[in-house]
């Protein structure tokens, strides 16, 4: 039976992120697995009158990335995840998580799921999006809102 | 850190179900957890001219349920899951999985995910549906089509 050997924890820095991280840490310990972490700074392309417009304020972009770097470093130190296993990325959260999962030959992605209903269900969630097209298993950790 | 104590394996009797079951068996062993199995015979309500019409051929319904019972019993014997932990249900797959997960105080649902893209992604999958509103964590095991 295939145990997990490389886990990718998707981190969103919300106040509920800790509960998700705890499951990833439990599985790392249980399976003696390698653990990587990723945080994606979501950049949404804005489509105005058929032209693809991207946010252009490079200073703000850089600040967001620097901030994400800093917070991921703090978490990495807290959880014992070395720098080489920490990934800050930008763009579409789904795409970036799947890209890194593929590049790093991850066999389990761990992320939070809000279990939303109604309109939020239709809008979808990151967990939902990642599930589709994931190259590996996905553990959605239920977050109590 | 919360280990899993009661796992619910959703079984669809497809030829890929074995791979999904293997992950559930691995986690049962790893966490010394209780394992339950559920199979849902999907009954789709058909809405004709605003009247809710249900399939009425009770003999066929009963045959499907008996067949499901038999197959789940075979799997249960193979995997060492006692009768009291085997559930055959009918109706909406999502609703029944979530209902049993709630009733049985399950803390992890394990099911297969095809990682579909395109139109199939829009149509959604059981894994996707179960993720929303799940009272607990959900492990979607990637099935290689």
């Amino acid at each position: 039976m295939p145990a997990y050997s490389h886990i990718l924890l998707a981190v969103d820095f919300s106040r509920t992120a800790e509960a998700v991280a705890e499951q990833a840490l439990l599985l790392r310990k249980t399976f003696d697995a390698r653990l990587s972490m990723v945080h994606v700074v979501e950049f949404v392309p804005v489509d105005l009158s058929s032209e693809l417009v991207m946010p252009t304020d490079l200073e703000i972009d850089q600040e967001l990335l620097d901030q994400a770097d800093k917070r991921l470093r703090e978490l990495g130190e807290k959880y014992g995840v070395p720098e080489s296993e920490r990934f800050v990325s930008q763009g579409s959260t789904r795409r970036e998580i799947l890209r890194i999962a593929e590049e790093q030959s991850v066999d389990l992605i761990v992320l939070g799921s809000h279990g939303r209903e109604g309109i939020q269900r239709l809008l979808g969630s990151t967990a939902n999006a990642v599930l589709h097209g994931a190259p590996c298993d996905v553990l959605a950790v239920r977050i109590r809102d």
Side-chain angles (χ1 to χ4, degrees), chain A:
Chain A
M1 284 179 289
Y4 296 112
S5 61
H6 189 182
I7 297 164
L8 178 64
L9 167 64
V11 174
D12 70 356
F13 302 141
S14 71
R15 63 184 171 73
T16 53
E18 188 116 356
V20 183
E22 280 190 359
Q23 285 310 120
L25 294 173
L26 168 69
L27 294 172
R28 168 176 71 177
K29 194 179 165 195
T30 302
F31 295 114
D32 196 19
R34 183 177 154 200
L35 178 64
S36 302
M37 295 196 308
V38 57
H39 175 80
V40 182
V41 177
E42 177 103 33
F43 283 179
V44 182
V46 184
D47 189 353
L48 289 178
S49 59
S50 297
E51 272 183 73
L52 197 66
V53 180
M54 291 293 287
T56 52
D57 192 332
L58 290 177
E59 271 183 39
I60 291 182
D61 294 359
Q62 195 52 53
E63 207 179 301
L64 285 170
L65 288 170
D66 289 348
Q67 224 169 64
D69 262 332
K70 184 169 169 281
R71 299 183 76 174
L72 201 62
R73 186 171 66 242
E74 286 166 5
L75 281 185
E77 282 163 7
K78 183 174 173 186
Y79 298 143
V81 174
E83 196 177 347
S84 59
E85 301 292 354
R86 304 195 296 250
F87 302 92
V88 167
S89 196
Q90 56 179 287
S92 145
T93 303
R94 171 180 179 268
R95 273 177 194 276
E96 288 304 303
I97 291 175
L98 294 185
R99 183 181 65 78
I100 288 166
E102 195 126 8
E103 273 182 20
Q104 299 293 318
S105 301
V106 157
D107 48 23
L108 179 69
I109 299 169
V110 177
L111 40 61
S113 171
H114 291 267
R116 287 169 179 140
E117 291 282 4
I119 184 68
Q120 286 183 298
R121 179 177 166 195
L122 292 173
L123 290 173
S125 65
T126 300
N128 179 7
V130 165
L131 205 59
H132 292 287
C136 60
D137 293 3
V138 176
L139 175 65
V141 175
R142 178 79 171 84
I143 290 167
R144 319 276 153 192
D145 294 298

